[in-house]
Amino acid sequence: MEEPPVREEEEGEEDEERDEAGPEGALGKSPFQLTAEDVYDISYLLGRELMALGSDPRVTQLQFKVVRVLEMLEALVNEGNLALEELKMERDNLRKKVEGLRRQSPSASGEVNLGPNKMVVDLTDPNRPRFTLQELRDVLQERNKLKSQLLVVQEELQCYKRSAASLLKPAKPRTHREEQTTPDASP
């Protein structure tokens, strides 16, 4: 579908608004995003404001100070932009070196050089190590401690069972013969 011509006019208006907001927009930017053009825009705005104040000698002195501050700001912005460009170039060079090393490395042929104390683990292997040796030692020590406590508790339980069994043994019921041979204390 074709866009209506009204849309094109709106885009043109947006461009004009951006151009109009140019000098004022520079004041709204982050200091790290400023360019030399933004400093010139700020200079234009401040110059316009100072001109509106008149030709008072104090305004003239203030104007020289503002110009000096703007020159310093421009120098800082240019230095920051140069440093940014240098960093981008260094980044690009490092990327190229890394790509070159990746192409030349033996890992491309399937060999992996991990260095000392390194190990490759296949995550799909069901028998892969899941714990460190120290964790396994700790678990084994805890298991042995619990096992010894279990043995002590089992021994105590046996002792309690024996003593409970001897207390609960019913006395032998007397048979009829035993009752006859035993003298009865009652008259």
Side-chain angles (χ1 to χ4, degrees):
M1 296 179 97
E2 293 181 16
E3 291 185 15
V6 175
R7 179 76 181 144
E8 292 174 4
E9 291 174 7
E10 290 175 0
E11 288 176 8
E13 291 173 3
E14 288 176 7
D15 290 340
E16 289 175 11
E17 287 174 7
R18 276 187 236 143
D19 290 342
E20 291 173 3
E24 288 83 15
L27 289 173
K29 284 187 175 181
S30 164
F32 300 108
Q33 295 174 333
L34 287 177
T35 63
E37 290 178 10
D38 293 329
V39 174
Y40 299 145
D41 289 342
I42 293 170
S43 173
Y44 169 76
L45 289 174
L46 290 174
R48 197 170 58 185
E49 294 287 325
L50 289 172
M51 293 290 279
L53 291 175
S55 61
D56 185 10
R58 290 181 293 180
V59 172
T60 307
Q61 289 176 351
L62 180 63
Q63 189 174 5
F64 286 121
K65 291 178 183 177
V66 168
V67 167
R68 178 64 183 138
V69 168
L70 288 171
E71 288 172 351
M72 291 188 309
L73 179 61
E74 181 184 4
L76 289 172
V77 166
N78 287 333
E79 186 178 322
N81 287 338
L82 285 175
L84 180 64
E85 288 301 318
E86 287 176 6
L87 289 173
K88 285 180 180 179
M89 289 173 50
E90 184 178 350
R91 179 198 62 197
D92 293 340
N93 288 337
L94 290 173
R95 281 184 179 166
K96 288 177 184 176
K97 285 181 182 179
V98 167
E99 288 174 12
L101 290 173
R102 284 184 179 161
R103 281 188 233 126
Q104 295 174 358
S105 73
S107 63
S109 63
E111 296 178 21
V112 179
N113 184 11
L114 295 175
N117 299 325
K118 300 292 179 188
M119 178 171 113
V120 175
V121 176
D122 181 10
L123 296 177
T124 59
D125 183 10
N127 296 323
R128 72 181 182 274
R130 290 178 176 82
F131 303 101
T132 64
L133 287 176
Q134 185 58 44
E135 289 172 329
L136 289 174
R137 285 185 190 111
D138 293 344
V139 168
L140 288 174
Q141 286 177 353
E142 186 178 356
R143 182 201 66 165
N144 291 338
K145 179 181 165 186
L146 291 172
K147 193 173 182 180
S148 66
Q149 289 175 352
L150 176 65
L151 291 174
V152 169
V153 169
Q154 284 177 339
E155 288 176 10
E156 288 179 12
L157 180 62
Q158 289 298 325
C159 291
Y160 287 131
K161 281 183 180 179
R162 284 188 211 122
S163 63
S166 65
L167 291 175
L168 294 177
K169 270 190 186 175
K172 282 187 181 178
R174 293 185 176 183
T175 60
H176 185 62
R177 287 187 202 161
E178 289 178 7
E179 290 177 7
Q180 290 177 355
T181 55
T182 318
D184 202 3
S186 57

